[in-house]
């Protein structure tokens, strides 16, 4: 057996504790698999006194994660603190400068500073591994950078925020409004400290930006991700989408087009019978499409102690085995700054609105859509007790800019009650 591989772990929340537990419980198995004993030299967290249910007495304690990152007895700095800047960034930079490899679960850090950190790592002859940052326990970065390395990737899609998927599927199954299910998710501890990270699509957008960079040989560009959260999805939309044979998902889509790199994280309709449509609760799903493999679907837990610690340990084991795949699948200097696609690929749209129930109202809306070059595929008007008639339209493929102009024109007709809702229907 060769020399042990020594970790310094910064952050002892759910994930950090899970990593400690795996290393303590599976020491012999890990050593047999990678040829090194995996040891923890030192740890760091906000509170030393807190009981985490694991024995930390054998490890040195550092109050300052930067000091931990620089320790001579640390080979790999495991960053599990979170946050796009502050201590996480300072300690990661310190670790790389001191010649340590970094394993991180920090999507925000890499979404904002991925290119600079990848360059810093390569200049020091080190690497950063981030499997735990994307879709929890699903080994999607490994799938992209290793198993699918022979493919030109064409499109990646994913439901990568379990909290949003929980909220949307619970609204559907219990027939409850958004606000009520949001409160439930909060009570269950599912929401990030800043819930907007979840429901605003930011957390999932970070993950999409990392996968898009890896899939398309691009510099990470989170600012180019078009973000829309789930806060405006109503129970009426959930029911109406179901009635048309769809489910609503917070879906990330990245694809290279001749107009540039398209990155979208937004509520979309997907067929109820598709793997994405059938995804329930807090589970994640990533769909990867390549020119050779065609399509593969990965499904699994996107968060939690075991799944996220599993992903961290996968990275640690790779480093222990000497597997040093470039951070985003190819050297940082070869990652291109891909222009962002200014407009989304045309798609069918779901359009829900309420009409004043008077003669000719629906005809006016239909001709407004026709004037904008938008063709109606399916339409349904529902029975109603009051003076406004709920209407659902599924369009044929249309450019979003045309749909936007048509909605603006519809709003001028004087026949709508409230604002129309338009959601993209993704071809999955
Ligand atoms: N809050 C995230 C989720 C997990 O709900 O999937 C961490 O990224």
């Amino acid at each position: 057996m060769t020399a042990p591989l020594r970790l310094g772990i910064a952050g002892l929340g759910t994930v950090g504790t899970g990593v400690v537990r795996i290393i303590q419980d599976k020491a012999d198995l890990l050593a047999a698999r990678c040829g090194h004993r995996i040891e923890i030299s030192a740890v760091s967290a906000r509170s030393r006194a807190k009981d985490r249910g694991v024995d930390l007495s054998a490890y040195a304690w550092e109050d300052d994660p930067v000091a931990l990152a620089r320790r001579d007895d640390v080979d790999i700095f495991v960053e599990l603190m979170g946050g796009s800047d502050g201590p996480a960034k300072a300690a990661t930079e310190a670790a790389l400068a001191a010649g340590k490899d970094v394993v991180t679960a920090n999507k925000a850090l890499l979404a904002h500073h991925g290119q600079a950190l990848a360059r810093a790592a390569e200049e020091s002859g080190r690497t950063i591994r981030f499997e735990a940052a994307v879709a929890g326990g699903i080994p999607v970065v490994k799938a992209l950078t290793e198993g699918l390395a022979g493919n030109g990737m064409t499109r990646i899609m994913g439901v990568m925020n379990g909290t949003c998927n929980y909220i949307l599927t619970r609204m559907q199954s219990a027939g409850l409004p958004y606000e009520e299910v949001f409160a439930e998710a909060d009570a269950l501890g599912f929401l990030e400290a800043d819930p907007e990270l979840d429901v605003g699509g930011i957390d999932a957008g970070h993950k999409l930006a990392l996968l898009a960079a890896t899939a398309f040989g691009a510099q990470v560009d989170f600012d180019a991700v078009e973000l829309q959260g789930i806060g405006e999805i109503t129970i009426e939309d959930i029911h109406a989408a179901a009635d048309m044979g769809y489910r609503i998902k917070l879906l990330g889509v990245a694809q290279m087009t001749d107009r540039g790199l398209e990155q979208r994280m937004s509520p979309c309709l997907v067929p109820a019978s598709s793997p994405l449509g059938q995804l329930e609760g807090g589970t994640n799903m990533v769909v990867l499409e390549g020119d050779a493999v065609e399509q593969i679907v990965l499904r699994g837990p996107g968060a939690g102690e075991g799944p996220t610690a599993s992903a961290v340990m996968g990275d640690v084991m790779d480093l222990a085995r000497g597997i040093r795949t470039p951070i985003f699948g190819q050297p940082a200097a070869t990652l291109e700054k891909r222009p962002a696609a200014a407009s989304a690929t045309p798609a069918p749209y779901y359009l829900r609105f309420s009409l004043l129930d008077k003669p000719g109202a629906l005809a006016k809306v239909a001709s407004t859509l026709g004037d904008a070059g938008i063709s109606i595929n399916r339409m349904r008007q529902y029975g109603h007790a009051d003076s406004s008639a709920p209407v659902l339209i599924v369009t044929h493929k249309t450019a979003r800019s045309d749909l936007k102009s048509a909605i603006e024109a519809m709003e001028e007709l004087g026949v709508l009650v409230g604002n129309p809702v338009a959601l993209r229907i993704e071809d999955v």
Side-chain angles (χ1 to χ4, degrees):
M1 185 80 54
T2 45
L5 193 82
R6 302 160 304 173
L7 311 187
I9 301 176
L12 291 171
T14 310
V15 182
T17 307
V19 171
V20 171
R21 202 166 272 132
I22 290 179
I23 290 170
Q24 291 181 349
D25 292 351
K26 300 194 173 78
D28 292 343
L29 176 76
L30 298 175
R33 286 186 175 163
C34 74
H36 299 267
R37 293 202 77 78
I38 307 289
E39 295 179 354
I40 299 170
S41 299
V43 294
S44 167
R46 267 199 287 258
S47 159
R48 188 169 187 175
K50 184 176 168 185
D51 179 9
R52 297 175 171 86
V54 286
D55 180 6
L56 302 172
S57 59
Y59 317 139
W61 181 272
E62 292 279 1
D63 287 324
D64 177 8
V66 172
L68 175 77
R70 292 189 177 130
R71 284 177 67 103
D72 289 339
D73 59 357
V74 165
D75 302 309
I76 300 179
F77 177 61
V78 181
E79 190 276 295
L80 303 173
M81 293 179 288
S84 62
D85 291 276
K89 180 163 178 276
T92 299
E93 288 169 342
L96 295 172
K100 327 283 185 190
D101 291 313
V102 174
V103 172
T104 182
N106 191 334
K107 60 226 76 167
L109 174 72
L110 291 180
H112 287 281
H113 306 292
Q115 181 65 17
L117 288 171
R119 277 194 172 268
E122 287 174 11
E123 278 160 21
S124 312
R126 295 289 114 195
T127 194
I128 303 171
R129 301 288 303 239
F130 63 94
E131 189 68 79
V134 183
I138 302 177
V140 58
V141 178
K142 201 168 176 63
L144 272 176
T145 55
E146 297 183 36
L148 300 175
N151 284 260
M153 299 308 294
T154 49
R155 183 170 67 155
I156 53 176
M157 293 184 283
V159 168
M160 294 183 283
N161 184 276
T163 303
C164 288
N165 203 53
Y166 168 81
I167 291 175
L168 293 171
T169 53
R170 172 92 177 128
M171 282 171 76
Q172 164 123 33
S173 59
L176 292 172
Y178 175 83
E179 293 71 21
E180 218 168 297
V181 180
F182 178 94
E184 268 185 18
D186 199 13
L188 289 166
F190 288 178
L191 288 157
E192 299 279 340
D194 173 5
E196 197 51 25
L197 286 174
D198 285 318
V199 297
I202 301 164
D203 165 84
H206 288 152
K207 296 166 182 168
L208 183 71
L210 298 181
L211 287 189
T214 310
F216 299 113
Q219 295 185 13
V220 188
D221 190 2
F222 171 67
D223 291 339
V225 180
E226 190 188 307
L227 280 184
Q228 189 190 339
I230 62 165
E232 285 168 16
I233 302 296
T234 63
I235 186 67
E236 286 76 21
D237 290 313
I238 299 271
H239 288 324
D243 197 30
M244 289 286 199
Y246 296 105
R247 296 283 181 270
I248 300 179
K249 298 286 165 192
L250 178 67
L251 185 68
V253 180
Q255 64 192 118
M256 188 58 75
T257 71
D258 50 13
R259 294 163 291 104
L261 179 57
E262 202 173 314
Q263 300 183 77
R264 289 180 272 113
M265 180 58 67
S266 58
C268 290
L269 272 65
V270 298
S273 58
S274 65
L276 281 164
Q278 290 180 3
L279 190 70
E280 293 287 323
T283 310
N284 282 197
M285 181 173 283
V286 187
V287 179
L288 305 172
E289 293 174 353
D291 54 6
V293 74
E294 299 177 1
Q295 186 185 75
I296 67 166
V297 177
L298 303 172
R299 176 186 184 281
E305 176 180 320
T308 315
S310 161
V312 169
M313 287 311 298
D315 283 344
V316 167
M317 293 293 279
D318 264 3
L319 292 173
R321 289 162 162 160
I323 299 170
R324 308 179 72 80
T325 318
I327 298 161
F328 294 107
Q330 59 189 67
T334 68
L335 295 167
E336 290 184 31
K337 198 159 176 44
R338 307 275 189 196
S343 55
T345 301
Y349 279 82
Y350 151 108
L351 196 53
R352 180 176 67 81
F353 50 90
S354 286
L355 278 181
L356 282 181
D357 198 2
K358 59 182 192 183
L362 185 56
K364 282 185 185 168
V365 168
S367 62
T368 303
L369 289 171
D371 291 347
I374 297 169
S375 174
I376 295 172
N377 180 2
R378 288 192 282 157
M379 193 176 78
R380 208 165 273 181
Q381 179 173 317
Y382 292 90
H384 52 99
D386 57 17
S387 59
S388 70
V391 178
L392 262 188
I393 286 179
V394 172
T395 72
H396 283 291
K397 267 189 191 174
T398 181
R400 194 178 41 195
S401 52
D402 290 343
L403 187 72
K404 187 166 174 279
S405 313
I407 290 174
E408 282 164 8
M410 279 165 59
E411 284 169 336
E412 298 299 310
L413 295 172
V415 297
L416 293 187
V417 181
N419 295 324
V421 175
L423 295 171
R424 187 182 169 93
I425 302 176
E426 199 66 44
D427 174 19
V428 300

